[in-house]
Amino acid sequence: MEVKNKYVSIKANINGAPEESDFEVKVENISLLVESESKEVVVKNLFVSIDPYQINRMKSQSSSQAAISFAAAITPGEAIDTYGVGRVLVSHRPDFKKDDLVAGLLTWGEYTIVKEGSLLNKLDQDQSFPLSYHVGVFGFSGLAAYGGFFEVCKPKPGEKVFVSAASGSIGHLVGQYAKLLGCYVVGSAGSQEKVKLLKETLGFEDAFNYKQETDLKSALKRCFPQGIDVYFDNVGGKMLEAAVANMNSFGRVAICGVISEYTNASTRAAPEMLDIVYKRITIQGFLAADLMKVYADFLSKTIEYLKAGKLKAIEDVSQGVESIPSAFIGLFNGDNIGKKIVKVADE
Amino acid sequence: MEVKNKYVSIKANINGAPEESDFEVKVENISLLVESESKEVVVKNLFVSIDPYQINRMKSQSSSQAAISFAAAITPGEAIDTYGVGRVLVSHRPDFKKDDLVAGLLTWGEYTIVKEGSLLNKLDQDQSFPLSYHVGVFGFSGLAAYGGFFEVCKPKPGEKVFVSAASGSIGHLVGQYAKLLGCYVVGSAGSQEKVKLLKETLGFEDAFNYKQETDLKSALKRCFPQGIDVYFDNVGGKMLEAAVANMNSFGRVAICGVISEYTNASTRAAPEMLDIVYKRITIQGFLAADLMKVYADFLSKTIEYLKAGKLKAIEDVSQGVESIPSAFIGLFNGDNIGKKIVKVADE
């Protein structure tokens, strides 16, 4: 028995900003017959994650591709793996049975044949949250926000926290975790609508539209009259330079991503090193995959906050495999508000 | 009773590379009469430290000047404070008496009137090491090397360690501490003579003359076929970029100084942020003054290593107050080998 699997691939490597013409939606036949001794699990994809870091996998070459398996190069024409949520269609494994809801490494497509050893976890069938939350706030975006903030930034109540791309998948959670800890929180974003969301819905002390600022250092000086203690960086480039210039002594910068540099290597940040030395600043890159040790703590706290209405998980959901390329391209134009997800199929 | 005090000052702020004409040797009369209730201590300077960071204090403005008291701006025409060793001439304090040998915050001059609260420590009169060691290997250069390496870099035996300005006041000690821990150590320096010293006298696994390399990334690739785990940075600029490009996952960079950027702000380092994220690199600025908690450990270990002949303290000593400007200027031309010290007077 076979089904047609529609999936997205790249036609060739992408070395600049991604465009619709770089992608194609392909169709293949996949077998739903799995041999009884096989460890493969066939999953029907329901929600898939759309993340900026995938652009680094699409490049002809990037030092990122050798660093860790999930960042490995994507081969043009082939399926693209991604974190997602789905339902088991076929499995002979004792730990997964038909109709189980699962989260793990799926694909930008309708079905995934999950190989043995690949990330796959069964979800609790009694879902009190939307299933899509397992892609975003309970997934690597949430873990990156929680672990990156608490473990890497080592914040204290009352500290001054700056978050860039603050309405994005990770940023909007970081700001809220910082507020819950009792920090003073300011975010940057790329539209007035996003600024309004940060200030009015998420309770940030302040926010600014970086596109309307002529001088980012002055903007941060205005928002942080007492300086910045913690900077959670999602963008890199000039914003990182401006943040370092406004940091207090013993300030910490967690580099979660540098989206402004992903599609334009000429925008590399050159922070003032004298500041880094004399203010004893720490800049630390991190990956959510390294933060699994805090996963249990992250999950229980996050569920508690969500149930109490103290944390809002904002999602930006597009429909259908065909929308994946534009959803992905939109990340680099700042189209999304909150976690970008594509719903591939109904539950 | 008065003495003539010859001292060095700057004529005006210095915003580029320092030159002889930027300095003047001035003479003032200072009184050796100290009122009996005064806490001032008059010290005859013997050895004074010559350090690159002083250039940042001489600038019209630098963010460094506000960061910490010892980095405060230097006023043209006035005496310039510096770490040094001297002998007490006059004191009514119970903790310092005439002829005591002391180390602390003195001046680039012949005498210092040390105010209450200023750094001053009595030295053991039974000196089994040269007195100048208290300016270098037992002073902030040694502490920066030891504390910066062990506390900031958190090295493990067998790790691959790169030190820039490796024959300098701090670098030559860092490399030796790393060797003593059992690390693989490579240094960069600016002459064949220095490279020879690092390899033949100090036992570095390898060293290179950065002035003879057309591509620093390739040079580091050649010296570190297995990548760099720890980079102790004294120079900043292109060397920092090249080191980050060659770092292993979870690599650590301690920024002790960025001499290549002190006199030329256009040479700011722009390390590849994708490397910092994906390789989870930590870059941390530090100051020796923050490492006092390890001072006792540093001193006992360092004395032990020196006595056992396992550590060499290399000094580059000039004579007389008049030599201070050229000694200082020489730091930025790479003239010194080891710790640059000026001997102001005989013991």
Side-chain angles (χ1 to χ4, degrees):
Chain A
M1 188 190 158
E2 286 193 335
V3 289
K4 291 212 179 299
N5 176 36
K6 223 186 293 177
Y7 67 99
V8 171
S9 69
I10 53 172
K11 294 180 192 165
N13 293 116
I14 305 173
N15 292 303
E19 297 174 9
E20 285 277 354
S21 59
D22 292 322
F23 297 89
E24 59 186 332
V25 176
K26 300 176 78 171
V27 181
E28 63 179 357
N29 291 319
I30 61 168
S31 170
L32 297 182
L33 292 175
V34 173
E35 288 180 32
S36 59
E37 67 273 27
S38 171
K39 303 290 189 188
E40 289 182 355
V41 177
V42 182
V43 174
K44 184 181 183 198
N45 303 340
L46 301 176
F47 293 95
V48 296
S49 185
I50 310 293
D51 304 285
Y53 80 89
Q54 299 274 21
I55 193 71
N56 299 317
R57 304 180 63 202
M58 297 173 182
K59 294 174 183 173
S60 305
Q61 62 171 38
S62 169
S63 59
S64 61
Q65 294 170 0
I68 188 167
S69 61
F70 83 79
I74 289 168
T75 305
E78 296 195 355
I80 295 168
D81 52 11
T82 183
Y83 196 69
V85 164
R87 192 177 287 282
V88 173
L89 281 186
V90 188
S91 167
H92 301 302
R93 284 170 58 172
D95 46 348
F96 297 105
K97 63 176 201 301
K98 190 172 184 313
D99 292 332
D100 279 351
L101 284 169
V102 288
L105 209 57
L106 306 182
T107 50
W108 278 357
E110 295 178 301
Y111 300 91
T112 309
I113 298 173
V114 180
K115 301 270 191 292
E116 188 183 6
S118 186
L119 179 67
L120 196 68
N121 290 302
K122 209 167 133 173
L123 295 177
D124 186 353
Q125 297 281 327
D126 172 24
Q127 297 289 335
S128 53
F129 294 105
L131 201 52
S132 56
Y133 275 27
H134 292 279
V135 179
V137 65
F138 297 146
F140 285 104
S141 299
L143 181 62
Y146 186 92
F149 182 61
F150 289 104
E151 294 294 306
V152 181
C153 298
K154 297 181 177 63
K156 290 183 279 289
E159 284 197 316
K160 315 296 180 285
V161 175
F162 174 50
V163 187
S164 57
S167 70
S169 61
I170 297 172
H172 84 284
L173 298 173
V174 171
Q176 292 181 83
Y177 287 129
K179 285 296 303 168
L180 285 162
L181 181 66
C183 295
Y184 170 94
V185 182
V186 176
S188 64
S191 75
Q192 288 313 105
E193 181 190 5
K194 291 176 180 176
V195 166
K196 191 164 181 276
L197 171 86
L198 298 176
K199 289 164 75 169
E200 297 181 9
T201 308
L202 302 185
F204 284 33
E205 268 76 11
D206 209 345
F208 64 93
N209 177 353
Y210 72 90
K211 291 179 181 169
Q212 291 189 338
E213 300 289 342
T214 50
D215 179 357
L216 295 175
K217 282 186 194 174
S218 302
L220 287 172
K221 182 96 185 150
R222 183 182 75 229
C223 295
F224 288 97
Q226 296 178 71
I228 301 168
D229 298 305
V230 166
Y231 173 39
F232 193 102
D233 187 11
N234 291 304
V235 304
K238 295 288 173 205
M239 194 69 90
L240 174 56
E241 295 175 14
V244 165
N246 279 281
M247 289 207 97
N248 293 328
S249 289
F250 303 104
R252 290 133 276 152
V253 179
I255 314 272
C256 180
V258 287
I259 195 168
S260 78
E261 306 189 24
Y262 287 168
T263 56
N264 185 355
S266 70
T267 62
R268 276 160 63 172
E272 175 59 81
M273 297 304 293
L274 256 71
D275 281 327
I276 292 174
V277 174
Y278 282 95
K279 298 198 284 192
R280 295 85 110 196
I281 292 170
T282 301
I283 296 178
Q284 187 172 351
F286 75 96
L287 297 174
D290 297 323
L291 295 164
M292 291 309 295
K293 62 183 176 185
V294 302
Y295 190 82
D297 176 53
F298 147 69
L299 199 62
S300 69
K301 289 273 187 10
T302 300
I303 287 172
E304 178 195 323
Y305 292 147
L306 285 166
K307 287 194 169 167
K310 294 177 178 172
L311 183 72
K312 293 178 178 70
I314 300 175
E315 300 183 331
D316 187 328
V317 183
S318 302
Q319 308 288 331
V321 165
E322 289 81 357
S323 74
I324 289 175
S326 64
F328 179 65
I329 292 161
L331 295 176
F332 301 93
N333 302 326
D335 291 348
N336 60 307
I337 295 188
K339 175 67 189 176
K340 188 69 207 177
I341 294 169
V342 168
K343 181 176 182 176
V344 174
D346 288 327
E347 295 170 39
Chain B
M1 189 188 155
E2 287 191 334
V3 289
K4 291 212 180 301
N5 177 36
K6 220 185 295 177
Y7 67 97
V8 170
S9 71
I10 54 171
K11 293 181 193 167
N13 293 116
I14 305 173
N15 293 303
E19 298 174 9
E20 284 277 354
S21 60
D22 292 322
F23 299 88
E24 58 186 332
V25 177
K26 299 177 78 172
V27 181
E28 64 180 356
N29 292 319
I30 61 168
S31 170
L32 296 184
L33 291 175
V34 173
E35 288 179 33
S36 60
E37 65 274 26
S38 172
K39 303 290 188 189
E40 288 182 357
V41 176
V42 184
V43 174
K44 184 181 183 197
N45 305 338
L46 300 176
F47 292 95
V48 296
S49 185
I50 309 293
D51 304 285
Y53 81 89
Q54 299 274 20
I55 194 71
N56 299 317
R57 304 180 62 202
M58 297 174 183
K59 294 174 183 172
S60 305
Q61 62 171 38
S62 169
S63 61
S64 61
Q65 294 170 0
I68 187 167
S69 62
F70 83 77
I74 289 169
T75 305
E78 297 194 355
I80 295 167
D81 52 12
T82 182
Y83 196 70
V85 164
R87 191 178 288 282
V88 173
L89 281 186
V90 189
S91 166
H92 301 305
R93 285 170 58 173
D95 46 347
F96 296 105
K97 63 176 199 304
K98 188 170 184 314
D99 292 332
D100 278 351
L101 285 170
V102 289
L105 209 57
L106 306 182
T107 51
W108 277 357
E110 295 178 300
Y111 299 91
T112 309
I113 298 173
V114 180
K115 301 269 191 294
E116 188 183 6
S118 185
L119 178 67
L120 196 68
N121 290 303
K122 209 166 133 175
L123 295 178
D124 186 352
Q125 297 282 328
D126 174 25
Q127 296 288 336
S128 53
F129 295 105
L131 201 52
S132 56
Y133 276 28
H134 293 279
V135 179
V137 65
F138 297 147
F140 285 103
S141 299
L143 181 61
Y146 186 93
F149 182 61
F150 289 104
E151 293 295 305
V152 181
C153 298
K154 296 181 177 65
K156 290 185 278 290
E159 284 197 316
K160 314 296 180 284
V161 175
F162 174 50
V163 188
S164 56
S167 71
S169 61
I170 297 171
H172 84 284
L173 298 172
V174 171
Q176 292 181 83
Y177 287 130
K179 283 297 302 169
L180 285 163
L181 181 67
C183 295
Y184 170 95
V185 182
V186 176
S188 65
S191 74
Q192 289 312 104
E193 182 190 3
K194 292 176 179 175
V195 165
K196 191 163 181 278
L197 172 86
L198 298 175
K199 290 164 75 169
E200 297 181 9
T201 308
L202 302 184
F204 285 34
E205 267 75 11
D206 208 345
F208 64 92
N209 178 352
Y210 72 90
K211 292 179 181 169
Q212 292 190 337
E213 299 289 340
T214 50
D215 178 357
L216 295 176
K217 282 187 195 174
S218 302
L220 287 172
K221 182 98 186 148
R222 182 183 74 229
C223 294
F224 288 98
Q226 296 179 70
I228 299 168
D229 298 305
V230 165
Y231 173 39
F232 193 102
D233 187 12
N234 291 304
V235 304
K238 295 287 172 205
M239 193 69 89
L240 174 56
E241 296 175 13
V244 165
N246 279 283
M247 289 206 99
N248 293 327
S249 288
F250 302 103
R252 290 133 275 151
V253 179
I255 314 275
C256 180
V258 287
I259 196 167
S260 77
E261 305 189 24
Y262 287 168
T263 56
N264 184 356
S266 69
T267 62
R268 276 160 63 173
E272 176 58 82
M273 298 304 294
L274 256 73
D275 280 328
I276 292 174
V277 173
Y278 282 94
K279 297 198 283 192
R280 296 86 111 194
I281 291 169
T282 301
I283 296 178
Q284 186 172 352
F286 76 97
L287 296 174
D290 297 322
L291 295 165
M292 291 309 294
K293 64 183 174 185
V294 301
Y295 189 81
D297 176 54
F298 146 68
L299 199 60
S300 70
K301 289 274 189 6
T302 300
I303 287 173
E304 177 195 323
Y305 292 146
L306 285 167
K307 287 192 171 170
K310 294 178 178 171
L311 183 72
K312 292 179 180 69
I314 299 174
E315 300 183 331
D316 187 330
V317 183
S318 301
Q319 306 289 329
V321 165
E322 288 82 356
S323 74
I324 290 175
S326 64
F328 179 65
I329 291 160
L331 295 176
F332 301 94
N333 302 326
D335 290 348
N336 61 305
I337 295 189
K339 173 67 188 175
K340 188 68 205 178
I341 294 170
V342 169
K343 181 175 182 178
V344 173
D346 287 325
E347 295 170 38

